[in-house]
């Protein structure tokens, strides 16, 4: 693509064209470690999906750890204690509402007094053993306290009625008579999906996408899940996700107060801000928050500015293009256009992990769609390529004056969000 300059309308896109990325992290002054900071650092909420890729539940795990791994018993107990302590903290703060939360425990915990202190109707306790004594204890706790339990087994079998949930691997044969709600884990390929009953729940890379490179930023997974929740879930679910991950709140508030969020009055919290902004603007702010990261790097600030500039340009111009039925999809294409570079993901991985609309995916993947032409027009504006701007504008049926004016407006908003990110 010809270019007379790599800077247009106040948005410098040179960093997006280069294969070299330099991360510049700000210095953080020492501050007391708060309980929610510890939760955010050590706890992860792994999503559980239905067949339509909607999140229906989550599993609480130690970030980067698996308490089921074969390791010395004292280490396994230590990890389990950390998990239960975090769960108690969540319960005390009133954050266990809405979707079910799966928590894996050992036989020892099942027979201890800890469960009485952590009893909550939203928690599903997961065990991988089902001898007679365990079944008896599970039945007693289910009847007396209304507690819920899930049996995790390598192969499905006839399951006692005390188990409300059964979790089995995707490679196993579906049970003829599944006991309770079926949860299939380690699902990686689409062809595995039709084998399971339509009411099944799922975990695995088919829905979440592959895990990031080990050298990725520590908050890589968390930010991608925020974007996925914003795209797939309702506003209450997005609010709950931010409450469970308070490290995202400050950055989200900054973006909400920028021109991107348009929050004109003060809000007490991110939840309050999202209620005032409504579903559509909250979704936009969440996607930009995920792209910016926290604390923001110089590179991610650039990715965020360029994504917003493209989204505003494409969303506004899409209304004048006859071949674009949904202008919102043009906006989302611009918003996600820098995600592959920012997260080192292919467009296909992004599509699967975030849950992008098909038209957005096809346009980002370079297919010859009207939205893809708009994206190329946005690139031409950034590079001040007047010849390409004129050609694409004519093909789309948009006046060049309208394109130029819209690009200036978009660039102003992009500069504004950059000034709010620290």
């Amino acid at each position: 693509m010809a270019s007379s300059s790599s800077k247009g309308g106040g948005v410098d896109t040179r960093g997006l064209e280069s294969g070299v990325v330099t991360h510049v992290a700000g210095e953080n002054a020492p501050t007391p470690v708060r309980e929610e900071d510890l939760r955010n650092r050590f706890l992860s909420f792994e999503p559980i999906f239905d067949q339509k890729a909607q999140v229906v539940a989550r599993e609480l795990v130690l970030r980067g750890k698996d308490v089921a791994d074969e390791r010395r018993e004292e280490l396994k107990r230590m990890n389990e204690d950390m998990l239960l302590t975090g769960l108690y903290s969540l319960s005390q703060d009133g954050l266990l509402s809405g979707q079910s939360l799966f928590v894996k425990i050992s036989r020892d915990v099942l027979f201890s007094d800890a469960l009485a202190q952590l009893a909550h109707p939203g928690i599903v306790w997961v065990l991988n053993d089902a001898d007679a004594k365990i079944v008896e204890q599970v039945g007693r706790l289910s009847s007396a306290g209304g507690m819920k339990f899930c049996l995790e087994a390598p192969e499905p079998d006839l399951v006692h009625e005390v188990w409300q949930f059964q979790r089995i691997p995707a490679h196993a044969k579906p049970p003829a008579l599944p006991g309770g709600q079926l949860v299939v884990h380690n699902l990686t390929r689409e062809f595995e999906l039709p084998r399971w009953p339509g009411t099944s729940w799922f975990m695995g890379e088919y829905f979440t996408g592959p895990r990031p490179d080990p050298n990725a930023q520590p908050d890589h997974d968390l930010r991608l899940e925020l974007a996925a929740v914003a795209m797939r879930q309702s506003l209450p679910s997005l609010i709950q996700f931010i409450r469970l991950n308070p490290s995202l709140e400050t950055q989200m508030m900054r973006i909400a107060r920028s021109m991107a969020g348009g929050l004109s009055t003060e809000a007490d919290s991110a939840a309050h801000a999202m209620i005032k902004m409504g579903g559509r603007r909250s979704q936009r702010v969440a996607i930009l928050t995920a792209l910016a990261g926290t604390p923001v790097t110089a590179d991610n600030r650039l990715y965020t500015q360029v994504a917003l500039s493209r989204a505003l340009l494409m969303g506004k111009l899409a209304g004048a293009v006859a071949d674009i039925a949904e202008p919102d999809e043009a906006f989302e294409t611009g918003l996600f256009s820098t995600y592959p570079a920012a997260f080192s993901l292919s467009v296909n991985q992004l599509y699967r992990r975030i849950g992008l609309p098909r038209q957005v995916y096809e346009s980002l993947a370079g297919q010859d769609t009207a939205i893809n032409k708009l994206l190329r027009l946005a690139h031409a504006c950034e590079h001040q390529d007047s010849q390409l701007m004129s050609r694409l504008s004519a093909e789309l049926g948009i006046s060049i004056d309208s394109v130029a004016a819209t690009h200036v407006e978009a660039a102003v908003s992009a500069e504004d969000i950059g000034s709010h990110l620290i």
Side-chain angles (χ1 to χ4, degrees), residues 123-189:
I123 300 176
V124 178
W125 303 102
V126 183
L127 292 117
N128 59 5
D129 196 3
D131 64 30
K133 289 187 177 180
I134 287 179
V135 170
E136 181 182 353
Q137 177 73 344
V138 166
R140 184 184 304 115
L141 293 172
S142 299
S143 301
M147 299 173 71
K148 300 174 185 175
F149 292 88
C150 173
L151 174 62
E152 181 170 300
E155 295 291 338
D157 202 347
L158 186 62
V159 176
H160 195 283
E161 62 184 6
V162 299
W163 303 97
Q164 295 95 334
F165 297 83
Q166 182 185 6
R167 185 158 68 180
I168 58 179
H171 64 74
K173 181 180 178 181
L177 297 171
Q181 175 64 54
L182 202 59
V183 183
V184 182
H185 65 99
N186 293 334
L187 189 80
T188 58
R189 293 177 173 82

Side-chain angles (χ1 to χ4, degrees), residues 45-50 54-60 98-102 122 124 165 183 201-203 225 233:
F45 300 87
E46 298 297 314
I48 301 174
F49 302 88
D50 64 13
Q54 298 294 312
V55 177
V56 291
R58 294 183 181 276
E59 181 173 18
L60 182 67
Q99 296 169 334
S100 296
L101 186 66
F102 285 63
V124 178
F165 297 83
V183 183
W201 293 355
F202 301 93
M203 304 178 72
E225 189 173 356
Q233 302 297 306

